[in-house]
Amino acid sequence: MEQQYIDIYRQERETICQHAPEVLNAVRDVAFDDFCRLGFPSQKVERYRYTHVAEAFAPNYGLNLQRLRFQVNPYDVFKCDVPNLSTSLYFVVNDQVLPASEQAPTLPEGVIVDSFCRVAADRPELISRYYGKLAQTGQDAINALNTMLCQDGLLVYVPKDTVVERPVQVVNVLRSTVDLMANRRVLVVLEEGASIRLLCCDHALDEVQFLSTQVTEVFVGERAHLELYELEETHTGNRRFANLYAELQSQASATLDSITLHNGQTRNRADVVLAGAGAEARLNGLVIADKQQRVDNNTLIDHRAERCQSQELYKYVLDGEARCAFAGKILVREGAQQTVSQETNANLLGSPDAHIFTQPMLEIYADDVKCNHGSTVGQLGDATLFYMRQRGIPLEEARMLLKFAFAADVLQTIHLDPLRDRLHYLVDKRFRGELTKCEGCKMCKA
Amino acid sequence: MLEIRNLHATINGKEILKGVDLTVRDGEVHAVMGTNGAGKSTLSNVIVGNPAYEVTEGEIIFNGKDLLALKPEERAHEGIFLSFQQPVEIPGVSMTNFMRAALNAKRKYLGEEPLSAGDFLKLMREKRKIVELDSKLTSRSVNEGFSGGEKKRNEIFQMAMLEPKLSILDETDSGLDVDALRIVAEGFNSLRTAETSAIVITHYQRLLDYLRPDIVHVLLDGRIVKTGGPDLATEIEQRGFDWIKEGL
């Protein structure tokens, strides 16, 4: 399986480099060597136990190495936005970062939301200082593959003590007439005291097979504050491999939400390092899957400093023949005293053919900590369903109300009110089975 | 209104009802008394269609319809309401959404338009007063964190909202203090009309003092073994069930 990617790189290295900034090319060969050495992880590799990686990468996808532009301007046609939420809107089509719209509101001074290619022309050091520093290519084949193939990326840079009031929305749109692989890269840098809220959503607009790799590196400086909401609403022919790495300095806080509303196969990895004393991380996830959808969330929260807090809540509502996994480790290192950490994974299974593999883990090397972890797997209660039916609520409606209630507390963690309202609406639609035929665009088609 | 003939029912293969006959006419309140395990709750569960129970013989006719052919929600739409012995807590589902879903499902079944948000809230406010239910409770999740008494009051509140033709009160008096019992009973009485009927299942005379049933039945070992007027309840309160068993 690896061979086709090795061949592509050997044959197309020049083309890849020609259409990419030097800062990305500088680490490409190392990533290639790492990829050759690592190969795709088998299920014997602990963090890939629940996903057949090689199988997903086996088909022959096209790559847009020449960086040809997709002709439609998404700023004109894309309507599926969040009502009442005024955002600075950016589009990434496949793995090309489009320039901001001319009507885009101006960002506070010094704030950059732009493509690597454009930033690298003037200030390459802004990228080279951070690029690949958290997402090491030596240990993870997805990082290595992404780093060797990716030609552009999105930089979100917020300088010291700058607060970006208006949320930034990044819409990843997959468009193609042939099966396509996209390799996206995101770099989020918050300097000391900076603050920003980011909403990233994934859509697949054409009915071909898509495979996307995405590597996100997040640097949250001292006292900085980040909210990052990731939402996937693609189709069953979509495969997503996303690795997110975050490092929080002292007194920094980050909320990282991951919501899979509709997909094909999804593998999300999130590694969060609490590097400075008093940092705080909240990881929340919601997965709604049925048919033969696959979602594998794999997280690591690494407490390296004292007085840090982490909270993790992942909920899955599964039906049909969905097979999903949650594996989350909390690692409290020696010296990370007074750590407070809580990890919960709760799962609701609506069909006998739905599967969840759940693995909450806690590894503690400090003695003055307060940590707990747990997971539950359950079905809708017969007594509850009967109570509702006795009041006249039809069985299907009762099921839907209960599923929605189950998912609701993850949505409560969203601090952006219009986004939360929108998700309430979308989740409701999803449970009613209406999200597979979204009006106006084909993004949700099953 | 309700005609039960030779009803046999089992749960997990065990026969609980062994041939129950019962007729309830419009406007009547029937009390069903009996020892623990006699089948009182089974009877109420079978009438409303709890899928945990299996009817093996007999029939139930409700206003001319074969009740056993209907789903639980359809029986509710036809006008049957059960006040549960142990109301279920439903975290995350607000009382408002719950009641709106229930009411609008019934209206849809009857071919009526859904209630507007304004009319619905007005109705909630109005009906809440009947059982002196705090507005704080109706803004919470269904029964979540409610005390025993609040749960029972909430049952009567739901009954008031849904305006059933036949109400079944399954040990609504259990776990209630004297004041709560009075509120629940008075609430229930205020909803009575010449067209509505009720079956009241209880162990005690106390609730019946308020509800004044027209007919009292004694259910023992899966059969109705004795039927009488309100005096029968008083007699049972004084003498227990043994004298009835001995007379069989």
Side-chain angles (χ1 to χ4, degrees):
Chain A
M1 299 305 164
E2 293 82 6
Q3 200 54 46
Q4 60 171 325
Y5 296 95
I6 292 169
D7 292 345
I8 285 171
Y9 188 76
R10 286 202 172 120
Q11 287 156 21
E12 305 289 342
R13 186 181 174 281
E14 219 166 291
T15 314
I16 295 170
C17 292
Q18 204 182 333
H19 297 277
E22 183 46 38
V23 282
L24 270 57
N25 295 337
V27 291
R28 219 177 275 287
D29 286 344
V30 176
F32 174 69
D33 290 343
D34 285 332
F35 179 73
C36 293
R37 182 174 47 80
L38 289 167
F40 287 119
S42 75
Q43 287 181 284
K44 284 182 183 150
V45 176
E46 178 66 28
R47 296 202 62 181
Y48 284 92
R49 271 178 75 176
Y50 305 107
T51 294
H52 298 276
V53 181
E55 215 172 83
F57 283 81
N60 186 14
Y61 297 97
L63 277 156
N64 181 10
L65 302 178
Q66 300 280 358
R67 315 308 284 166
L68 303 173
R69 271 283 155 79
F70 203 92
Q71 282 314 310
V72 184
N73 182 359
Y75 290 99
D76 295 336
V77 298
F78 197 83
K79 298 279 183 267
C80 214
D81 59 351
V82 182
N84 306 320
L85 182 66
S86 165
T87 63
S88 304
L89 188 61
Y90 297 85
F91 279 94
V92 179
V93 177
N94 302 329
D95 43 24
Q96 290 175 286
V97 183
L98 269 55
S101 139
E102 279 162 18
Q103 299 92 25
T106 48
L107 295 161
E109 203 190 332
V111 176
I112 298 170
V113 182
D114 209 345
S115 73
F116 288 178
C117 290
R118 284 183 292 273
V119 175
D122 308 328
R123 303 177 67 185
E125 78 288 351
L126 266 187
I127 298 164
S128 60
R129 198 183 301 152
Y130 301 101
Y131 184 72
K133 296 297 184 283
L134 295 179
Q136 305 272 331
T137 55
Q139 273 127 44
D140 185 283
I142 305 295
N143 287 349
L145 184 66
N146 178 283
T147 307
M148 81 189 213
L149 294 176
C150 106
Q151 293 169 286
D152 197 0
L154 180 77
L155 172 71
V156 176
Y157 171 78
V158 187
K160 190 178 167 184
D161 292 324
T162 304
V163 175
V164 183
E165 293 286 353
R166 191 192 301 269
V168 168
Q169 185 180 8
V170 180
V171 181
N172 293 307
V173 188
L174 290 163
R175 298 227 61 175
S176 179
T177 49
V178 295
D179 294 351
L180 184 84
M181 179 187 197
N183 297 292
R184 294 195 302 256
R185 197 81 189 201
V186 184
L187 202 52
V188 180
V189 179
L190 274 66
E191 287 189 348
E192 206 178 313
S195 161
I196 194 166
R197 293 173 296 179
L198 273 170
L199 162 62
C200 302
C201 45
D202 272 30
H203 301 282
L205 295 200
D206 296 298
E207 281 171 84
V208 298
Q209 303 286 311
F210 286 111
L211 169 66
S212 61
T213 70
Q214 174 176 290
V215 176
T216 306
E217 294 172 275
V218 175
F219 298 81
V220 189
E222 279 182 30
R223 295 180 292 102
H225 174 73
L226 171 73
E227 285 170 31
L228 173 60
Y229 304 102
E230 281 200 282
L231 169 68
E232 180 177 0
E233 197 187 341
T234 59
H235 60 54
T236 49
N238 191 70
R239 294 183 178 86
R240 169 186 152 108
F241 284 77
N243 286 354
L244 176 126
Y245 296 84
E247 190 174 79
L248 279 66
Q249 301 306 325
S250 95
Q251 306 297 327
S253 74
T255 296
L256 306 169
D257 276 23
S258 156
I259 295 169
T260 309
L261 264 186
H262 200 277
N263 75 325
Q265 180 182 10
T266 295
R267 148 85 188 185
N268 291 321
R269 170 180 181 152
D271 286 22
V272 179
V273 176
L274 297 162
E280 214 179 310
R282 284 175 291 271
L283 273 71
N284 304 299
L286 174 64
V287 173
I288 301 172
D290 51 19
K291 300 179 272 280
Q292 292 184 330
Q293 292 170 328
R294 304 279 178 269
V295 183
D296 171 5
N297 281 307
N298 193 299
T299 70
L300 169 66
I301 300 176
D302 185 353
H303 282 262
R304 289 192 190 166
E306 51 184 28
R307 299 191 315 281
C308 290
Q309 294 197 18
S310 62
Q311 271 173 42
E312 188 169 16
L313 173 67
Y314 271 75
K315 286 196 156 187
Y316 290 59
V317 184
L318 307 183
D319 233 307
E321 293 168 48
R323 281 174 84 88
C324 296
F326 170 83
K329 189 198 261 189
I330 311 280
L331 171 60
V332 182
R333 296 195 190 246
E334 212 180 321
Q337 299 296 5
Q338 292 176 292
T339 288
V340 178
S341 177
Q342 187 178 4
E343 180 186 48
T344 309
N345 169 230
N347 305 285
L348 187 60
L349 271 57
S351 122
D353 297 318
H355 282 75
I356 178 74
F357 301 89
T358 170
Q359 198 184 0
M361 292 167 276
L362 200 50
E363 217 175 289
I364 304 176
Y365 299 98
D367 53 15
D368 178 16
V369 301
K370 201 154 87 185
C371 299
N372 65 58
H373 69 315
S375 75
T376 60
V377 180
Q379 303 163 16
L380 296 175
D382 287 340
T384 310
L385 285 171
F386 175 63
Y387 185 75
M388 298 174 84
R389 294 177 80 187
Q390 206 301 303
R391 295 302 183 249
I393 302 172
L395 182 60
E396 276 316 302
E397 177 87 8
R399 280 182 198 280
M400 212 209 58
L401 279 170
L402 292 176
K403 285 179 181 178
F404 191 85
F406 180 82
D409 54 353
V410 176
L411 301 185
Q412 284 315 313
T413 65
I414 296 170
H415 303 302
L416 277 172
D417 293 353
L419 175 62
R420 192 176 56 237
D421 293 347
R422 177 70 180 166
L423 277 165
H424 269 279
Y425 168 79
L426 289 175
V427 167
D428 186 82
K429 263 184 94 146
R430 174 72 167 96
F431 284 137
R432 287 179 194 277
E434 291 165 12
L435 205 60
T436 48
K437 41 183 190 293
C438 177
E439 64 276 354
C441 59
K442 283 190 273 178
M443 78 172 78
C444 317
K445 206 146 183 181
Chain B
M1 177 171 290
L2 182 77
E3 184 87 42
I4 299 176
R5 292 188 203 117
N6 189 32
L7 186 67
H8 291 252
T10 61
I11 183 164
N12 301 326
K14 188 170 182 270
E15 188 172 49
I16 309 288
L17 297 185
K18 301 170 181 173
V20 171
D21 294 284
L22 178 68
T23 303
V24 180
R25 292 177 194 83
D26 288 2
E28 287 180 350
V29 172
H30 289 235
V32 176
M33 304 182 76
T35 53
N36 289 327
K40 302 187 299 295
S41 284
T42 300
L43 178 62
S44 58
N45 273 287
V46 169
I47 295 172
V48 296
N50 187 335
Y53 297 84
E54 194 191 342
V55 173
T56 50
E57 215 182 319
E59 60 177 358
I60 308 179
I61 307 297
F62 182 68
N63 288 332
K65 287 198 173 146
D66 174 10
L67 207 59
L68 297 178
L70 300 181
K71 294 177 193 166
E73 51 268 40
E74 291 167 337
R75 300 183 197 196
H77 300 328
E78 288 291 339
I80 296 181
F81 179 91
L82 172 64
S83 168
F84 282 67
Q85 191 176 339
Q86 282 159 337
V88 179
E89 296 192 11
I90 317 179
V93 178
S94 72
M95 267 309 292
T96 312
N97 283 346
F98 176 70
M99 261 352 286
R100 189 185 292 132
L103 205 62
N104 284 336
K106 181 178 182 176
R107 294 177 71 92
K108 189 176 171 190
Y109 181 83
L110 299 175
E112 297 167 8
E113 287 292 305
L115 222 50
S116 77
D119 288 346
F120 173 76
L121 292 174
K122 200 174 143 218
L123 190 68
M124 289 271 286
R125 267 200 305 277
E126 212 172 279
K127 302 291 186 185
R128 224 170 47 210
K129 288 184 199 145
I130 295 173
V131 283
E132 299 171 29
L133 200 64
D134 200 299
S135 65
K136 284 195 198 92
L137 294 182
T138 50
S139 61
R140 296 227 301 254
S141 293
V142 179
N143 291 323
E144 197 186 28
F146 286 30
S147 70
E150 285 166 345
K151 281 181 185 167
K152 295 298 171 76
R153 262 150 64 184
N154 193 18
E155 294 291 286
I156 304 300
F157 163 69
Q158 294 175 44
M159 180 183 150
M161 288 290 292
L162 295 167
E163 298 180 332
K165 293 179 185 135
L166 174 72
S167 306
I168 304 167
L169 271 56
D170 190 359
E171 300 201 15
T172 295
D173 48 350
S174 69
L176 288 188
D177 61 39
V178 184
D179 291 331
L181 182 73
R182 181 184 47 77
I183 294 169
V184 165
E186 284 173 358
F188 174 84
N189 280 338
S190 73
L191 297 169
R192 277 181 76 171
T193 70
E195 286 82 42
T196 57
S197 310
I199 298 172
V200 181
I201 290 167
T202 183
H203 282 288
Y204 306 107
Q205 172 69 25
R206 217 169 52 155
L207 179 65
L208 300 180
D209 287 342
Y210 283 107
L211 301 189
R212 298 180 305 279
D214 303 293
I215 297 163
V216 176
H217 306 276
V218 176
L219 185 73
L220 288 177
D221 194 24
R223 286 188 192 87
I224 288 181
V225 295
K226 199 169 178 65
T227 297
D231 295 347
L232 181 56
T234 320
E235 199 168 356
I236 289 166
E237 184 77 14
Q238 285 159 4
R239 299 173 64 191
F241 289 104
D242 284 350
W243 64 279
I244 300 173
K245 282 185 198 164
E246 281 157 17
L248 292 179

